[in-house]
Amino acid sequence: EPEVTQTPSHQVTQMGQEVILRCVPISNHLYFYWYRQILGQKVEFLVSFYNNEISEKSEIFDDQFSVERPDGSNFTLKIRSTKLEDSAMYFCASTRQLEPHYNSPLHFGNGTRLTVT
Amino acid sequence: QQQVKQSPQSLIVQKGGISIINCAYENTAFDYFPWYQQFPGKGPALLIAIRPDVSEKKEGRFTISFNKSAKQFSLHIMDSQPGDSATYFCAASALSGGSYIPTFGRGTSLIVHP
């Protein structure tokens, strides 16, 4: 069964550094998402992406964050200047179609654990 | 308005017992209510989902009960097994800015003792 692939599985970075988290969504999916999960807490929406542009973003997704689909297969999340509070598990998700959305659930990757020191 | 409240935060059940997790929402625009199961080190995976035009959906040992008037829905796991030990998230989604964005509850850590 096709799956969403995320790399790296664990990223350690120093505060103020830039990080890029990478995702390869399922190949025929059109809608892409980033969520994050701070340890032991709920899964929080960051951003959704369709047709090479952001569809929706949350309050968390400020100017330090950006997303890109550079080559038609990868979907990346960049954090420009990491803060300690950015430490979390970051999940990429994709779905095939928007309508009817209940027939196209989100498929999540296994996440990238980001540790900012 | 976008919040989904989930309880309990943790749940311990004996093998063979019934696990019940409850969720409540405020936003009447939500029109899809999935439950996700997450094992340690893995991403959430869709377990079962319901639309608000039905009051119950059953798939094997897993049942969603939905009360539209009360804006509540719950997951029942019958004959709970140790392999069901995981974190369970309820979610609700509605169209927002051109995308359907699932809003997740805080999660319930379920432990099923053998």
Side-chain angles (χ1 to χ4, degrees):
Chain A
E1 185 176 323
E3 57 183 29
V4 176
T5 306
Q6 289 187 245
T7 56
S9 57
H10 192 189
Q11 174 90 47
V12 181
T13 189
Q14 288 189 330
M15 194 168 52
Q17 296 296 305
E18 174 183 286
V19 293
I20 298 176
L21 309 182
R22 303 182 191 280
C23 170
V24 179
I26 295 173
S27 61
N28 64 347
H29 284 189
L30 301 175
Y31 298 85
F32 313 113
Y33 304 76
W34 284 101
Y35 280 80
R36 79 172 185 191
Q37 183 180 30
I38 295 172
L39 186 62
Q41 298 189 26
K42 69 175 179 178
V43 179
E44 298 176 296
F45 168 72
L46 293 178
V47 65
S48 61
F49 191 87
Y50 169 70
N51 200 26
N52 284 321
E53 62 183 26
I54 291 173
S55 302
E56 186 72 10
K57 60 182 181 180
S58 71
E59 296 172 350
I60 303 168
F61 194 88
D62 61 21
D63 292 343
Q64 293 298 314
F65 291 88
S66 63
V67 289
E68 197 175 41
R69 193 145 195 258
D71 57 11
S73 61
N74 290 286
F75 179 50
T76 62
L77 174 69
K78 180 191 291 186
I79 308 175
R80 249 180 285 283
S81 177
T82 50
K83 303 187 285 285
L84 294 176
E85 53 265 37
D86 293 328
S87 295
M89 183 73 89
Y90 288 81
F91 290 104
C92 173
S94 68
T95 188
R96 184 167 55 89
Q97 64 185 37
L98 192 62
E99 291 283 358
H101 72 109
Y102 43 83
N103 283 341
S104 298
L106 263 59
H107 294 257
F108 284 84
N110 286 333
T112 293
R113 180 170 297 285
L114 176 64
T115 302
V116 182
T117 62
Chain B
Q1 189 95 17
Q2 292 293 330
Q3 201 172 12
V4 177
K5 296 181 180 178
Q6 182 173 348
S7 63
Q9 189 173 351
S10 62
L11 183 60
I12 299 174
V13 174
Q14 293 296 317
K15 179 182 174 181
I18 302 174
S19 304
I20 302 174
I21 304 170
N22 300 299
C23 285
Y25 64 97
E26 293 291 326
N27 186 359
T28 54
F30 286 141
D31 66 349
Y32 178 60
F33 301 87
W35 284 86
Y36 285 83
Q37 181 187 53
Q38 184 183 30
F39 292 106
K42 300 290 187 181
L46 180 68
L47 181 65
I48 186 173
I50 197 169
R51 292 167 55 196
D53 52 352
V54 299
S55 60
E56 186 176 283
K57 183 174 181 180
K58 184 175 181 179
E59 290 183 2
R61 297 184 294 108
F62 300 91
T63 300
I64 301 177
S65 297
F66 188 83
N67 186 331
K68 188 174 181 178
S69 60
K71 291 186 283 188
Q72 295 175 344
F73 57 111
S74 60
L75 176 69
H76 295 233
I77 306 174
M78 311 300 288
D79 187 25
S80 299
Q81 299 296 312
D84 297 331
S85 297
T87 299
Y88 292 81
F89 293 94
C90 63
S93 71
L95 185 63
S96 177
S99 300
Y100 277 98
I101 309 297
T103 299
F104 284 78
R106 288 196 165 273
T108 296
S109 175
L110 171 65
I111 297 174
V112 181
H113 283 312

